[in-house]
Amino acid sequence: MKNIFYVLLLLIVTDANCQTSHKALTKKKDYSFLTDSLNIEQQLEKYKLPGFSVVVFENYEIVYSKQFGVKSTDSNEKIDENTAFSTASISKPITALLCFMLEEKGLINLDAPIDPFLKRWHLPKSKFTENNSPTWRQFLNHTAGTSQDGFEDHYEGEAIPTIKQSLLGQIPRYDKEIEFLFAPGTSWQYSGGGYTIIQMALEDTFNKTMAELAAAYIFSPLGLKNTTMIQPNENRFLTNVALVHDKDGKVIKTGLPITPQVAPSGMWSTPTDLAKLAIEMQNALRNKNNKVISHNVAKKVTAVTALKNAVGGWSYGWQKSFGYNNYDWFFCNGSNTGVGGNVGATMTDGNGFAFLANGEKPNRFPVMAHTQKTILKLMDWNNKTPNEKTQEIPLSLKEKLIGTYDDFLYGQGVETKIVERNNRLYVESVILEHFKGKNDNELVYLRNGLFKIIDYPNLLQFDFKEGRLNSVILKRDNMNVEIQIKNK
């Protein structure tokens, strides 16, 4: 009997220890440290930003969600996790995703010329398109060559233009019809007007609104209840929304911008829904736990397809310009009057963030930059890549590389320096510094004769003429583009 008692006691203790051990193993990491480090409330006060909502995801799960400030300075109603913001250009990758999903279903061909799908309006005649009719795909990655980069918002009580009027240039900011600036496929030019053409082609082909198509194929299947392309002047618009504000923190007009150009900039969403969508894309990329987006579509829509003049790299709606923490990222930032935000996600490992703010540029930009830098610094995401074979940079080559140049990384006209510190070369760029918060991006010499820059996704090959740096070839996947160097 005594022995049985000890056996029972041992089993109870062992079971208790196992449960304690299991709880310790399954206890989730505490991410509350981000609240103190982000210091958002003080940031809002300093920059007079009405409201801010942020989400962080790691290992394919949302791990942190926090909201600050108010929906409107007129009501002081607090922003919550379900409060939607106008997302501006974050609409573009969603439009591109919709097109690729429709193509996978055999409903459209993205390599087909787009003009036959347009019924309300047709592409203007141009010397650039006489023998080169632009395709759906070229509009989606901004290589079709069209003008009209962005648009002005409208508000209830104003005359809301149609997308036909928009393309005809009968709207604020433009006084002529959208036009072609170069032959399709030969360069890159950001064009909201090109995405408006996509919208018209979709609506004319399927006899449904852009909002109906996006809801049917993406938002509803993914359970994104706080995301819509319905506009504030239409039935079934969201009720829990953040109003837009000017630089003085005052609500702009009704506070609810109406965007007829829905495909390029008319989506409303929350950081939580944007994170869910990014995680679905990440799951699709690894072909595991994806429910709506296929592996094939995810690979295609995030692949770099434009490098020449394309701000370091562009896919279909997604910016592919950064390589933070040894990861390849897909990014999109949105910026409309009085509102904006950003979503960024790693191509592997399921990490990233999304945030939205309801203030004008001088109010939200410092808070957004601070948030992104802090997240990238504190989350300790580091892609463990195999050690690349590197070599020491010869002194003679070092001396030829050091200098101050026009921006050869992103083509944005800012100064870019190659400097020496502690016998190593570093590239200094205000763009890299702005988004990462540091300027210690080392220039590494690879054994194959190419160079790489820490936190920059393209490889570089330098060409010299008469002892001076003459040009650089940017290389990404199977793409190359040569950039002439201007030494300052």
Side-chain angles (χ1 to χ4, degrees):
M1 188 70 176
K2 192 175 182 180
N3 289 338
I4 294 175
F5 173 79
Y6 282 124
V7 170
L8 288 172
L9 182 62
L10 181 62
L11 288 173
I12 291 168
V13 172
T14 303
D15 182 59
N17 287 339
C18 286
Q19 287 186 32
T20 304
S21 177
H22 177 70
K23 286 178 181 177
L25 288 172
T26 58
K27 186 179 178 181
K28 288 194 174 181
K29 180 179 174 182
D30 183 5
Y31 292 87
S32 60
F33 68 90
L34 283 171
T35 302
D36 292 334
S37 301
L38 289 171
N39 207 21
I40 297 297
E41 289 178 347
Q42 287 80 0
Q43 292 275 313
L44 298 194
E45 185 177 350
K46 179 178 180 180
Y47 295 104
K48 297 181 180 178
L49 178 64
F52 191 79
S53 182
V54 57
V55 164
V56 177
F57 45 101
E58 184 174 55
N59 193 26
Y60 307 96
E61 289 184 357
I62 291 175
V63 295
Y64 178 83
S65 176
K66 195 76 173 174
Q67 291 70 46
F68 307 86
V70 296
K71 301 177 189 178
S72 163
T73 53
D74 288 346
S75 70
N76 288 325
E77 187 179 353
K78 297 289 186 183
I79 288 172
D80 60 46
E81 190 176 22
N82 298 317
T83 301
F85 297 69
S86 169
T87 68
S89 288
I90 299 175
S91 311
K92 290 183 177 71
I94 310 309
T95 297
L97 174 62
L98 172 64
C99 289
F100 276 85
M101 293 172 73
L102 291 170
E103 182 184 51
E104 186 176 54
K105 294 178 184 298
L107 300 175
I108 56 175
N109 176 7
L110 298 183
D111 290 315
I114 203 169
D115 197 60
F117 294 87
L118 301 170
K119 295 182 174 61
R120 287 171 281 176
W121 169 90
H122 287 282
L123 298 179
K125 290 185 178 180
S126 169
K127 64 180 181 180
F128 295 117
T129 60
E130 287 176 352
N131 302 307
N132 191 359
S133 185
T135 66
W136 291 73
R137 192 180 301 276
Q138 289 169 329
F139 285 103
L140 290 171
N141 70 355
H142 300 291
T143 62
T146 43
S147 58
Q148 291 191 358
D149 54 353
F151 308 99
E152 188 172 301
D153 292 324
H154 304 274
Y155 295 84
E156 198 162 354
E158 300 176 1
I160 311 300
T162 64
I163 58 171
K164 179 178 178 180
Q165 289 174 311
S166 179
L167 293 168
L168 287 170
Q170 298 169 356
I171 53 173
R173 291 194 191 178
Y174 304 107
D175 57 5
K176 62 180 178 179
E177 187 174 26
I178 192 171
E179 60 184 335
F180 287 91
L181 307 175
F182 52 81
T186 61
S187 190
W188 184 92
Q189 175 67 45
Y190 192 83
S191 176
Y195 267 73
T196 307
I197 292 171
I198 288 284
Q199 177 182 339
M200 181 179 280
L202 286 171
E203 293 179 343
D204 287 355
T205 299
F206 294 98
N207 198 28
K208 292 181 183 294
T209 66
M210 189 72 206
E212 289 171 328
L213 290 167
Y217 288 95
I218 302 174
F219 305 154
S220 293
L222 281 175
L224 307 182
K225 296 180 180 179
N226 301 305
T227 301
T228 187
M229 285 187 168
I230 294 171
Q231 295 305 294
N233 61 332
E234 298 173 333
N235 291 331
R236 294 179 291 109
F237 179 66
L238 301 170
T239 55
N240 184 355
V241 295
L243 305 190
V244 299
H245 297 78
D246 64 19
K247 62 182 177 61
D248 297 317
K250 295 179 180 178
V251 175
I252 301 172
K253 299 182 180 178
T254 66
L256 298 172
I258 297 167
T259 310
Q261 302 90 353
V262 177
S265 55
M267 184 175 75
W268 290 69
S269 189
T270 66
T272 297
D273 276 3
L274 293 178
K276 287 178 180 177
L277 196 142
I279 292 168
E280 169 71 9
M281 184 79 74
Q282 291 173 320
N283 278 327
L285 286 168
R286 65 174 179 159
N287 206 19
K288 181 180 179 181
N289 296 334
N290 47 316
K291 298 169 184 151
V292 177
I293 303 171
S294 73
H295 177 60
N296 190 42
V297 163
K299 282 177 61 180
K300 285 182 177 180
V301 83
T302 57
V304 177
T305 59
L307 203 53
K308 184 179 180 182
N309 302 325
V311 201
W314 219 273
S315 63
Y316 297 99
W318 295 109
Q319 191 175 357
K320 298 296 297 290
S321 308
F322 306 108
Y324 300 144
N325 299 14
N326 295 315
Y327 282 104
D328 187 9
W329 291 74
F330 55 100
F331 264 89
C332 190
N333 63 75
S335 181
N336 276 356
T337 303
V339 69
N342 198 359
V343 55
T346 57
M347 292 285 286
T348 60
D349 293 350
N351 305 322
F353 51 82
F355 46 76
L356 293 163
N358 60 340
E360 191 49 297
K361 294 181 182 69
N363 311 92
R364 72 176 186 267
F365 276 9
V367 183
M368 289 166 55
H370 165 77
T371 299
Q372 182 164 312
K373 292 172 191 175
T374 303
I375 291 171
L376 287 170
K377 179 181 179 181
L378 295 181
M379 288 305 293
D380 195 30
W381 295 325
N382 188 24
N383 190 21
K384 302 294 191 292
T385 54
N387 290 330
E388 293 175 288
K389 294 181 179 178
T390 62
Q391 59 180 323
E392 187 175 345
I393 305 176
L395 180 61
S396 59
L397 180 55
K398 235 185 232 184
E399 291 172 346
K400 286 191 283 187
L401 286 169
I402 294 170
T404 302
Y405 310 95
D406 273 349
D407 180 19
F408 56 84
L409 301 179
Y410 297 105
Q412 298 304 295
V414 299
E415 271 191 359
T416 301
K417 296 181 179 180
I418 299 178
V419 301
E420 184 178 16
R421 294 198 298 268
N422 300 321
N423 295 320
R424 295 174 180 267
L425 292 187
Y426 294 84
V427 176
E428 295 183 350
S429 160
V430 295
I431 297 177
L432 288 172
E433 182 181 19
H434 173 76
F435 287 109
K436 189 65 186 289
K438 63 179 185 178
N439 239 335
D440 58 352
N441 303 284
E442 187 177 357
L443 184 65
V444 180
Y445 194 26
L446 305 179
R447 286 280 177 89
N448 58 8
L450 301 177
F451 287 83
K452 71 170 292 186
I453 301 169
I454 304 302
D455 287 339
Y456 181 71
N458 301 318
L459 295 176
L460 302 94
Q461 178 180 327
F462 293 108
D463 178 64
F464 300 91
K465 187 175 183 180
E466 297 177 356
R468 298 188 67 179
L469 188 55
N470 179 59
S471 68
V472 59
I473 298 173
L474 302 182
K475 294 176 175 283
R476 186 83 166 270
D477 300 332
N478 61 345
M479 304 185 72
N480 300 316
V481 59
E482 184 173 12
I483 299 170
Q484 294 300 309
I485 294 290
K486 292 181 181 178
N487 192 320
K488 302 180 75 172

